[in-house]
Amino acid sequence: MNTSTMAKLCVLLFGTAVSYAQQSNTQDSLERKPVQLDEVLVQGKRKSDPVFSAFKSEQEKKIVQSKNVADLFKDINGFNLIKRGNYAMDPSFRATQYEQLNVQFNGGTKVMHACPNRMDPITTHVIPEEIERVEVVKGPYTFRYGPTFGGIVNLVTQEVEKQEKGYHGKVNFGGENNGNAITSFANVKYVGEQFDANLNFGLRDFGNYVDGDGNEIPSSFKSTDYGVQIGYNPTDNQRIQLGFRQSFGRDVLHAGLPMDTEIDDSNVLSLDYKLDNISDGLRTLSAKVYRSRVDHVMTNELRPSFMMTEAVSEVDATTVGGRMELEWRPAEDVKLYTGIDAFSVGRTGNRTRLVKMNMMTGNPLPMPMEFVDEVWQDSQIEDYGAFVEGKYPLSQKLLLNVGARYDMVRSRTDSPSDDFVAEYPNLDTRTEHNISTTASVKYMASSHLLFELAFGRGVRSANMIERFINHFTVGQDPFEYVGNPFLDAEVNNQFELGVKGNTDFEGYALNRLDFGASVYYSDYGNYIVAVIDPELEKKYMPMAEPTAVKRFTNLESAYKTGFELFAELAFLQDFSFKTELAYVYAKNQDLNESLPLTPPLVTRFNLDFEKETIWAKATYTLTSEQSNIALSFGEQVTDGYGVLDLRFGAKPFEHLTVGVAASNVFDTTYNNHLNFSFVNQADFGRVPINDPGRNLSAFIQYSF
């Protein structure tokens, strides 16, 4: 089924929902209440949220500076950042990343990257200041929002319908001394009885930063973003919302990738509908359709290799999807969710190489030779899913959640290269059938103590890189990678046990203690990794090391285990001290080494002071050495380090907020284990990229 057919299906789903709404009776109300669109989490409601879920709602006065949305994850326990520079950062959670995480925004909208090296992940296509909160489901414990292997990350933008009636807005500016960075953001919104509108505009200009040793890291970028959102409530129990946003990235330097981004443009169009309080048995109908497109141009013009070969890649990705869900109430305390969804991503594009030098002799060619390489081979992946999930209280203290999901995944390549066809002569449209299941219980021992136990079987079919990439360097190492269109789907059988609680103290200097812990184990089936295949010959620069080639394949045996815990003590009314730990151990038993991109033990200590008009925070992050590495992935042992960050903010007037911050106060030289290494850089060997040294930043915002 092509993209056009997919779009028609999504429109049909939405049209069916609206047609049903027109037949529903409107409800009289003395006071209009906003109909909220679907949320993955309901802001900490124990009986509504999925098991092992959390949300982080960063108030604007606490956010001093964010390079892009990925920065919002760095303080969430269990998360790490995969860094290729300052722009292309991906979140990693419990050693799962990329398509292993179901990353979306506003309950289902996706923007898939166009670059095979992920220069343009979803985190680059949304304005950081536009994100109101980050919602996380920590495993395959709900399947209402698409196939889920390692967890769900939902980026929730501003929910205008919840705000007070009238006109609102804000404008802010930020700056950093390390890289001479400047950021700005403007927002204006109107909220009426039936109509609301929201307009955002953001600008970011970051220069190259320096590490703790004073080395300048090529990492500059510029981006401009804007977004428009319009909402309409035709009746008290209906809401229609239209959103459109565009992002324009320019002159992006990627220290850890072989090329730089010249142009990175994206646009996202989404349409949401919700009908609430339909009847006693059928409570809610919700629907969503969306389309996103990314156009990406990258070159090696600023790299040493440009003297020998000029390379320009022009690639694009188009994503179309939608979902429709019904919430039933077969009994007073029983919630049943049923629904269908659809998702399609198609990618095209070529790399043009102009070879100017004889690689064997090192002499210039009398006439440069031009070659055109298929990057994506005009490939497409479609996923059609159906799900059912129920929440049933076994008693007043015990809540059961069970769910299942079926996915039909279709993949094909319309323009395969000759050598790819020779490698896979039976290449044709492939259809897979995946079944995911989950069961969990919450036991509320008291209003202050909650136990959680969960099992989830999450299934993920191979992504487009793993299926169709053809002799491109797409990993952390310098090997050429070849896809495998016949990979089996990954399976994550995850078990988790956790506890959350709190204690209040009265009449003491200590006010409150919050604590929580969870331990998990994942048994992986058909885990997808790339390993050296001696039967493959190198295609580009065959005499240059390494001469071996990697092919994506399924592991027979792999697992992951780990834990997270936290404790927060509030004292003297305005102070709090919080400790967090996160550790994960992963094992590739086939090769007797770690799975790649496994972070080390991370411990955070936070000391907070907060009053109505003034606040301060000190964070010390202690990262341990990582010696459990994947040698086949080109990983190196990473030393441990400690970093101190300080933040201070104030609200001197009702509508004015100011803040200053000092990051890496002691100017420590360090690199995170998930940082990529320098590639094709004139002044650096293939060593990991260091993070920024000391950085001072300032922030000012006016709101009305």
Side-chain angles (χ1 to χ4, degrees), residues 291-537:
R291 178 191 183 275
S292 63
R293 180 179 172 87
V294 178
D295 294 305
H296 188 83
V297 179
M298 46 190 165
T299 74
N300 70 336
E301 184 177 354
L302 303 179
R303 304 301 185 95
S305 61
F306 184 78
M307 299 297 296
M308 299 176 288
T309 303
E310 295 182 22
V312 178
S313 294
E314 299 183 22
V315 292
D316 61 75
T318 301
T319 307
V320 179
R323 68 186 298 267
M324 185 171 68
E325 179 183 82
L326 299 174
E327 179 186 340
W328 306 83
R329 293 294 178 88
E332 182 178 355
D333 295 328
V334 177
K335 291 183 179 180
L336 181 66
Y337 301 92
T338 60
I340 57 175
D341 52 40
F343 163 81
S344 171
V345 57
R347 295 186 176 101
T348 61
N350 301 316
R351 178 181 64 183
T352 301
R353 292 179 296 127
L354 188 66
V355 180
K356 300 181 289 186
M357 186 173 292
N358 188 316
M359 302 300 177
M360 302 294 293
T361 64
N363 297 321
L365 294 174
M367 180 66 68
M369 302 175 62
E370 183 177 279
F371 301 89
V372 178
D373 311 312
E374 286 278 356
V375 176
W376 290 114
Q377 306 186 94
D378 291 355
S379 302
Q380 187 159 331
I381 296 178
E382 300 167 351
D383 188 309
Y384 304 92
F387 60 87
V388 58
E389 189 167 321
K391 300 177 184 293
Y392 177 69
L394 300 175
S395 68
Q396 282 193 330
K397 294 186 176 182
L398 192 62
L399 179 66
L400 172 68
N401 183 90
V402 293
R405 179 180 176 88
Y406 164 76
D407 287 278
M408 182 180 71
V409 182
R410 302 182 64 185
S411 58
R412 72 173 188 271
T413 173
D414 292 332
S415 182
S417 302
D418 292 340
D419 59 332
F420 199 77
V421 174
E423 190 65 34
Y424 301 106
N426 298 321
L427 197 61
D428 199 355
T429 298
R430 183 186 176 199
T431 302
E432 301 168 78
H433 305 278
N434 300 333
I435 301 292
S436 304
T437 58
T438 185
S440 60
V441 292
K442 291 185 178 185
Y443 177 64
M444 288 155 278
S446 71
S447 60
H448 297 281
L449 188 62
L450 171 68
F451 293 94
E452 297 175 298
L453 175 64
F455 164 75
R457 181 185 190 270
V459 182
R460 180 189 76 90
S461 289
N463 64 29
M464 199 171 289
I465 292 176
E466 295 160 341
R467 294 176 191 264
F468 299 124
I469 204 69
N470 188 29
H471 289 276
F472 279 80
T473 304
V474 294
Q476 197 174 24
D477 52 37
F479 288 89
E480 287 183 359
Y481 283 67
V482 174
N484 182 353
F486 302 110
L487 288 167
D488 293 325
E490 287 183 329
V491 179
N492 174 20
N493 294 300
Q494 183 166 320
F495 302 84
E496 188 160 358
L497 174 65
V499 61
K500 297 177 184 176
N502 61 74
T503 301
D504 294 319
F505 304 100
E506 296 183 3
Y508 298 93
L510 304 179
N511 308 126
R512 179 184 174 96
L513 174 66
D514 291 272
F515 60 90
S518 64
V519 58
Y520 55 90
Y521 175 82
S522 289
D523 180 57
Y524 289 136
N526 303 322
Y527 196 88
I528 299 172
V529 295
V531 299
I532 292 176
D533 189 334
E535 296 183 0
L536 292 173
E537 296 182 357

Side-chain angles (χ1 to χ4, degrees), residues 25 58-59 123 125 140 148 153 254 372 374 644 666 701:
N25 294 327
E58 280 278 9
Q59 299 180 27
T123 54
H125 303 298
T148 301
V153 177
H254 303 282
V372 178
E374 286 278 356
L644 176 65
F666 299 119
Q701 175 175 286

Side-chain angles (χ1 to χ4, degrees), residues 10 39 170 175 208 218 249 297 315 317 333 339 534 583 586 629 641 653 659 697:
C10 295
E39 299 172 313
K170 60 187 173 184
N208 296 336
V297 179
V315 292
D333 295 328
Y583 176 72
I629 60 175
Y641 57 90
F653 308 105
S697 60

Side-chain angles (χ1 to χ4, degrees), residues 41 65 164 183 204 232 235 408 411 447 465 554 605 674:
L41 309 183
Q65 206 67 256
E164 294 181 2
T183 68
R204 324 186 83 73
Y232 176 63
T235 63
M408 182 180 71
S411 58
S447 60
I465 292 176
N554 293 113
F605 303 96
L674 302 191

